[in-house]
Amino acid sequence: MSTDNNTEHIECLIIGSGPAGYTAAIYAARADMKPVVYAGMQPGGQLTITTEVENYPGYPDGIMGPEMMENFRKQAERLGTDVRYGMVTKVDFSGKPPYKIIVDEKKEVLAETVIISTGASAKWLGIPSEDKLNGKGVSACAVCDGFFFRGKDVAIVGAGDTACEEASYLAKICNKVYMIVRRDEFRASKAMQHRVENTPNIQILFNSETDEILGETKVEGVRIHNNKTGEKTEFPIQGFFVAIGHQPNTEVFKPYIDMDETGYIKTIPGSSKTNIEGVFACGDAQDKIYRQAVTAAGSGCMAALDAERYLSAKHAPTLTA
Ligand code: NDP
């Protein structure tokens, strides 16, 4: 990457515009760090594809996900954040800051600090009815949307810890939970498996794969097949949850940033610091456990405070004897 005299110099570059990124921006703007947010492929992040958010404190009547993210953006902008459309397509974290960052494969900026808040994307089954009924009874977040299915029958696909945790959560709210598991065993930890096995209103369907989610304008049922016997079964449900994992959006940072085997960024416990000086991570890009808007926002605050402290320490006058 080359730089020229026209290359923009940014004190605090925030990559991603979900609750983590905008909260980092709010704090960074108030600390006079003149943050620039590149909003990414899906400005506003995962909450822009949810319906009502009822578990974010401060909204006693709930709020629609897209509207909430609009509010986050307005608050960040009012305090002085420069929010821009654009995807970071390349970074160079070799050497010392400022780091060269390429946006949309052509624009080059230099950043003194970088806050990574690129989030994660839910994995989907990839069948047409899942797409058609997304937000109309199909969801990838039981904690966000389970409440809407109080007393109803639902299905959940997956056999990992998330699926087990979400099935247990749904079982407390819903009448019946069908768990659709593609193999004849779970991937989840034994403790989580036992929990679902011992919950009377969870029915586990092993060796089962989803053919179609039924319904035109809302979920009305599901058709599955047994991959050992070929037998097809249809049953009525009102909600269909997909819990087959998430993919953190961290590919672009891979050459430099320490991550776990699935691509979640490793941060130093109790902080947002990564292995690279001046680069901080927050939100779902580094959190595979909690993944809530409020926890993402909290970690965004941490990242901005860490970035501010980093810059203050760097610019503090050094005392010589
Ligand atoms: P995992 O990758 O662990 O599990 C994904 C599950 O989805 C697997 O059972 C997999 O099946 C199934 N699956 C994948 N693709 C399909 C498909 N196309 N059709 C049907 N089923 C499919 O993801 P999780 O989100 O569950 O967990 C991610 C990480 O987070 C794990 O390390 C987990 O331990 C951790 N976690 C920990 C929690 C805790 O400690 N409280 C809570 C939640 C997550 P198969 O097994 O056949 O591959």
Side-chain angles (χ1 to χ4, degrees), residues 214-234:
L214 309 173
E216 277 311 308
T217 54
K218 61 183 184 358
V219 172
E220 290 170 1
V222 65
R223 185 171 66 248
I224 61 169
H225 75 270
N226 184 302
N227 56 26
K228 283 269 179 335
T229 63
E231 186 193 353
K232 287 187 187 288
T233 319
E234 276 184 23

Side-chain angles (χ1 to χ4, degrees), residues 47 50-69 71 144 147-148:
L47 279 174
T50 36
T51 49
E52 199 174 355
V53 180
E54 289 196 315
N55 54 6
Y56 198 93
Y59 294 99
D61 302 319
I63 183 166
M64 298 305 278
E67 188 188 348
M68 185 163 102
M69 293 323 299
N71 289 345
C144 319
F147 179 80
F148 302 111

Side-chain angles (χ1 to χ4, degrees), residues 149 152-156 170 174 176-178 237-241:
F149 301 95
K152 308 257 167 71
D153 291 354
V154 299
I156 183 163
L170 289 168
C174 304
K176 170 133 196 173
V177 180
Y178 297 97
I237 50 162
Q238 288 80 48
F240 184 88
F241 292 87

Side-chain angles (χ1 to χ4, degrees), residues 12-29 35-40 42-47 56 69 72-77 81-83 114-120 280-286 292-305:
C12 179
L13 176 70
I14 299 172
I15 309 174
S17 58
Y22 280 140
T23 305
I26 289 164
Y27 275 76
V36 171
V37 171
Y38 275 104
Q42 190 181 27
Q46 293 178 81
L47 279 174
Y56 198 93
M69 293 323 299
F72 268 73
R73 182 184 58 75
K74 284 184 191 156
Q75 188 175 357
E77 285 184 330
T81 306
D82 182 351
V83 180
V114 176
I115 294 179
I116 300 172
S117 48
T118 44
F280 306 89
C282 52
D284 288 12
Q286 52 84 57
Q292 299 301 299
V294 68
T295 51
S299 71
C301 161
M302 287 167 64
L305 294 178

Side-chain angles (χ1 to χ4, degrees), residues 3-277:
T3 57
D4 58 44
N5 291 337
N6 297 323
T7 302
E8 187 185 7
H9 204 123
I10 294 169
E11 206 170 330
C12 179
L13 176 70
I14 299 172
I15 309 174
S17 58
Y22 280 140
T23 305
I26 289 164
Y27 275 76
R30 295 190 79 239
D32 273 343
M33 291 162 76
K34 300 173 191 63
V36 171
V37 171
Y38 275 104
M41 280 272 258
Q42 190 181 27
Q46 293 178 81
L47 279 174
T48 59
I49 52 164
T50 36
T51 49
E52 199 174 355
V53 180
E54 289 196 315
N55 54 6
Y56 198 93
Y59 294 99
D61 302 319
I63 183 166
M64 298 305 278
E67 188 188 348
M68 185 163 102
M69 293 323 299
E70 191 66 7
N71 289 345
F72 268 73
R73 182 184 58 75
K74 284 184 191 156
Q75 188 175 357
E77 285 184 330
R78 184 175 69 78
L79 295 166
T81 306
D82 182 351
V83 180
R84 303 174 182 175
Y85 287 106
M87 266 302 270
V88 165
T89 47
K90 195 168 182 188
V91 299
D92 182 356
F93 292 152
S94 60
K96 295 274 175 199
Y99 298 117
K100 290 172 210 164
I101 311 284
I102 303 291
V103 181
D104 291 335
E105 287 174 4
K106 50 185 192 294
K107 182 177 166 60
E108 185 174 304
V109 298
L110 288 174
E112 284 298 334
T113 60
V114 176
I115 294 179
I116 300 172
S117 48
T118 44
S121 307
K123 290 185 191 161
W124 296 97
L125 297 174
I127 52 177
S129 49
E130 173 188 58
D131 206 27
K132 184 176 80 181
L133 294 167
N134 200 325
K136 296 167 186 155
V138 172
S139 164
C141 179
V143 179
C144 319
D145 297 328
F147 179 80
F148 302 111
F149 301 95
R150 185 173 288 277
K152 308 257 167 71
D153 291 354
V154 299
I156 183 163
V157 184
D161 281 327
T162 302
C164 289
E165 201 164 83
E166 299 207 337
S168 303
Y169 179 85
L170 289 168
K172 291 192 196 117
I173 304 170
C174 304
N175 177 54
K176 170 133 196 173
V177 180
Y178 297 97
M179 205 168 172
I180 304 171
V181 175
R182 68 177 172 184
R183 290 185 294 137
D184 58 0
E185 60 176 356
F186 283 98
R187 179 177 294 275
S189 58
K190 287 277 178 278
M192 302 291 267
Q193 285 181 37
H194 292 152
R195 199 192 298 175
V196 294
E197 283 162 354
N198 293 324
T199 304
N201 63 337
I202 298 179
Q203 183 178 342
I204 302 158
L205 305 160
F206 285 111
N207 296 121
S208 296
E209 293 178 40
T210 308
D211 293 337
E212 282 311 334
I213 306 155
L214 309 173
E216 277 311 308
T217 54
K218 61 183 184 358
V219 172
E220 290 170 1
V222 65
R223 185 171 66 248
I224 61 169
H225 75 270
N226 184 302
N227 56 26
K228 283 269 179 335
T229 63
E231 186 193 353
K232 287 187 187 288
T233 319
E234 276 184 23
F235 45 89
I237 50 162
Q238 288 80 48
F240 184 88
F241 292 87
V242 181
I244 61 171
H246 283 76
Q247 188 56 48
N249 305 316
T250 54
E251 190 66 29
V252 72
F253 311 109
K254 234 171 210 163
Y256 305 98
I257 300 280
D258 283 351
M259 299 176 187
D260 72 8
E261 62 292 347
T262 44
Y264 285 94
I265 294 174
K266 289 184 182 170
T267 49
I268 296 171
S271 83
S272 64
K273 292 175 190 165
T274 69
N275 60 308
I276 302 286
E277 176 190 330

